Amino acid sequence: MEKSLQMIREDLQRLSQINKVLFESWDDKYAEAFNDSCIKVVEQQLKQFLENAEPYCKHIKELEEEMQSFVQESKNR
């Protein structure tokens, strides 16, 4: 799960880099409007998703480790 979040972060970085190049080339009011109304909204929502998902992923990982520990203890009995 953490790997998936990292991949989303990397995709978001690539999107930002590509958009920067694109909007520097298309420096007009339409590109700016599209950037403001679409691209920035998607970027903000993805960032918000990542911020909300990270604590859950950490908790899930802790639970998985705890379960593995219980399984190992039960095998040792």
Side-chain angles (χ1 to χ4, degrees):
M1 194 166 301
E2 290 177 3
K3 186 176 181 178
S4 297
L5 291 178
Q6 183 59 35
M7 289 172 59
I8 292 171
R9 268 191 220 92
E10 290 169 3
D11 289 345
L12 185 58
Q13 285 178 329
R14 272 187 241 121
L15 177 65
S16 293
Q17 290 170 348
I18 291 168
N19 286 335
K20 183 179 179 185
V21 170
L22 178 65
F23 294 120
E24 285 176 357
S25 300
W26 290 358
D27 190 17
D28 64 8
K29 64 181 180 179
Y30 299 111
E32 184 177 345
F34 178 75
N35 188 41
D36 292 342
S37 66
C38 185
I39 302 300
K40 285 185 179 180
V41 172
V42 169
E43 287 177 342
Q44 183 59 35
Q45 288 177 344
L46 281 172
K47 285 179 185 178
Q48 196 171 32
F49 168 78
L50 290 171
E51 289 172 2
N52 292 332
E54 281 181 336
Y56 291 118
C57 289
K58 287 180 183 177
H59 185 65
I60 289 170
K61 185 175 181 179
E62 290 170 358
L63 291 173
E64 287 175 341
E65 290 171 356
E66 186 177 356
M67 286 173 34
Q68 288 175 354
S69 173
F70 288 143
V71 168
Q72 189 61 37
E73 285 178 19
S74 70
K75 286 181 180 180
N76 293 338
R77 290 183 185 180

